[in-house]
Amino acid sequence: MSNRHPNASSPLAKLLGQSTRISKKIAKQIIRFHRMSHTELIAHFNGNRFSSFCSLQTPKNELFYGLEGRKLFFELAEALVKYAPELQGRVDLEKIIGAVKKSYVKQFIVGGMSIDNEAVKDMLEYALGDIKLSFDAYKHYIPCVFFVGSSPDEFSVGPVKFVRTSALFSSMVPPGWDTQDNDEALDRQTTIDYYKEYPWVACIEVGLCEYNASFEMAIYACATALNIIRVCLGSGVTDEVRLSTDASSDLKSAKIWGSSSGELEWSHSYKFKSPSGPSNWYESLNEGDGGRIKSFFGAVIEKTCTFGEHSELSGRLIDSVNWFGDACLERSPAASIVKYVTSIERLYLASSEFGVKSRFVNRVSKILSDFELSSDHLARQDASEVYNLRSTLVHGGSSPRTRETLLQKVKAEKLAQGCILCAEQLYLVIFDAFDPKSPEELEAAMRQYDAQGLQWCIDKARTRILSLQT
């Protein structure tokens, strides 16, 4: 026998009820504007200049609904995402709003249906079907700056494949295409000329979604792949590595200035776009520990590109890697320190309760010493100094312009890099031992690690795996 209250309704029924109320309010707005005289309508638009853009196109006329109606269509689009959660991340909100408006016109204006739960459900289903018609699995080719030193013509980070531009076009451009004399050939030539300015192209296939969302996901996945490389190799040799879509400093620069003599002086410089990179960069990323680490992080990108739901741990892992990458690219040393510390906090601190600093210092020093990346004393000292500076920078006790930030930036990067690399092993132990599914459960697991030690967690993981197998 069910313990459900007789007046309780299911989440779907509540959602449909809410959507029906919103739809009725939109109808009231449409009627309100429809009843206005031409003079009243002009007066309203003069006082509400953006209201004239808020309308529905029907086969016969244009129906205005005003700024209030615009807000209601926004709410209806949000309701559709709740109705069909699989849309999350696969299509931008403006596309959803457009589909909902089209469906509203079809169902209630052209179709003349009464606005009730059943008709609203049909409206949502029609909008959902219309959106999914635009879905496809797109493969994107994004130019990027990467090392031009000796290496094979391609390498991969998870689902992201980096291919030398020359090798890519030699395999994908059909013979004789450049002999054509038409606008299409000109557009293609212009595009290829742009790509050839970059030494590499990042290739990635994204799961079923709308094109704009697919492109944004491709950029995110490729940027994450480059950030993984930054974690492996550090900021010093990767400062010029970037996607063509990233913001960057100009390759050419010039300066004009005057001195006390009254004469003008000038200079210009040119920065190479394609760094040669470390002589062994390919081996470092593809063999031994580097290959294992790259494979581990690459699997997280794979889940992102297929719109898989991230676990508590994998979500934190990919966020931490991207905080680290953002820190590497920061021009301000102070901002870099804040982001490096945030990268560590995202990995290992799942609670903001009192005592964050002490937990940060204790946890970082324990992790780095447990995995033999630093002595406990040195790691504790560096973590304390970096966290103190981060706090004074954020809360105004220290100026970002002080030279102290330059000295501490290197320490902050080293700490963050070590903590992320340790996660490749520690996260597997935490998952096998505790399988945390929420921030609270992760914090509880980390406290167990703090108190009992790494070996205790490894033993617990083995015991738990054996129990699950039997």
Side-chain angles (χ1 to χ4, degrees), residues 312-313 316 344-351 359-360 362-368 370-371 419 422-423 426-431 433-436 438-454 456-457:
E312 180 67 24
L313 294 180
R316 287 176 177 272
I344 299 171
E345 289 182 318
R346 182 65 179 141
L347 271 181
Y348 297 119
L349 274 75
S351 168
R359 277 187 294 129
F360 178 90
N362 292 338
R363 213 160 273 176
V364 168
S365 59
K366 179 171 177 55
I367 290 167
L368 296 182
D370 276 353
F371 289 92
C419 284
C422 288
L426 182 55
Y427 260 29
L428 291 175
V429 173
I430 294 296
F431 174 78
F434 304 101
D435 188 16
S438 67
E440 294 76 18
E441 290 183 9
L442 175 57
E443 182 61 28
M446 293 305 301
R447 288 179 188 271
Q448 287 273 61
Y449 166 73
D450 294 340
Q452 305 295 340
L454 178 60
W456 182 89
C457 291

Side-chain angles (χ1 to χ4, degrees), residues 399-459:
S399 169
R401 295 183 297 276
T402 62
R403 184 162 181 78
E404 185 182 9
T405 57
L406 292 171
L407 302 175
Q408 296 297 341
K409 177 185 174 182
V410 176
K411 288 183 181 180
E413 178 181 344
K414 186 177 179 181
L415 289 173
Q417 183 182 37
C419 284
I420 295 173
L421 293 176
C422 288
E424 184 256 337
Q425 297 179 64
L426 182 55
Y427 260 29
L428 291 175
V429 173
I430 294 296
F431 174 78
D432 289 340
F434 304 101
D435 188 16
K437 292 182 169 58
S438 67
E440 294 76 18
E441 290 183 9
L442 175 57
E443 182 61 28
M446 293 305 301
R447 288 179 188 271
Q448 287 273 61
Y449 166 73
D450 294 340
Q452 305 295 340
L454 178 60
Q455 189 58 52
W456 182 89
C457 291
I458 292 173
D459 293 340

